[in-house]
Amino acid sequence: MSENDNKRLPRWWSGGVCSAIAVTTTHPLDLVKVQLQTQTQAEKVSVGQVISNIYQKGGLTGFYSGISASWFRQLTYTTARFALYEYGKNFVDASNVSAKVQLATFAGVFGGIVGVPGDVVTVRLQNDIKLPPEKRRNYKHVFDGLYRIQKEEGVKSLFRGAVPAVTRAVVLTIGTNATYDQVKQVIQGTFGTKEGLPLHFLTSTIAGCIGTIMTQPIDVIKTRYMNAKPGEYSGLIAVVISIFKQSPMAFYKGFIPALMRVSPNTIITFMLYEQARLRFGYLPPNAKKE
């Protein structure tokens, strides 16, 4: 690997494509997480029971319920977050932690807004399989879901839960993208570790753990609100109160599946992202002149 290869910058599409590949491997865990998060106070179903129910109702393919929406979400939401974050580095001091946090916040806001419709359909498709047949929404795929939501509930419903979704996107971008950059910089500066899979694996593992801890309460609120039927909650505060009544720890319901999903998803995404940068990225103008 030449010195110039290390200076390569990622293409705008790299984040979304790599994340879509990663989510293909972690989707079953996300499905379990969503079904745990949408439980009401009357429901007391363990992780094992959730997994058993999914298998009984849908077989092995049941664990991939809503995968089309997950792909759509990553190709919109993650593409926007990563592309804006990387492009923004051209205008800030990339070695400054505060600047990275501000940049991640901006990228998270934009990416979060772009990704809300796909997120709504993803949550509903993933939760559908646990419902009795007469209560299922039965969206055929992500585009059918998008069409039916705007037709049956109005365009506004495509952005249901936008506030927690955007908040989560901001926190996740700070907790993963900015953290990944900062941890990588510290490890390289402290130990002189060279670019390569071991460095990328260690850095993304740390970023994945931090990102999960930071986003889990917001994720629970978002999932519960997006999955709600019209009129079920008067607003976000009602959702928060409903979850709190179960117990304060209910905000971390589904944490283990979330950690098992977000952490591997972050690891796979960033390791693929680095490989895409090294193999398909482009050299900045100043590097080409050297």
Side-chain angles (χ1 to χ4, degrees), residues 81-82 85-86 89 94 96-105 169-188 199-215 266 270 274:
R81 285 195 306 120
F82 272 67
Y85 180 77
E86 291 297 334
K89 288 181 184 178
N96 185 283
V97 176
S98 177
K100 279 191 244 189
V101 170
Q102 292 177 41
L103 179 57
T105 300
V170 169
V171 175
L172 185 65
T173 308
I174 295 171
T176 54
N177 295 66
T179 298
Y180 181 89
D181 277 354
Q182 189 62 30
V183 171
K184 183 179 178 182
Q185 183 179 315
V186 170
I187 292 175
Q188 287 182 309
L199 172 64
H200 302 159
F201 178 79
L202 176 60
T203 307
S204 57
T205 298
I206 295 171
C209 291
I210 293 174
T212 306
I213 293 169
M214 290 174 65
T215 60
T266 303
F270 276 102
E274 291 280 17

Side-chain angles (χ1 to χ4, degrees), residues 28 35 59 110-111 155 261:
Q35 294 201 7
F110 185 80
V155 175
R261 184 197 74 86

Side-chain angles (χ1 to χ4, degrees), residues 48 61 102 147 150 182 214 229 239 248:
T61 57
Q102 292 177 41
Y147 172 74
Q150 63 83 27
Q182 189 62 30
M214 290 174 65
K229 292 180 172 60
V239 177

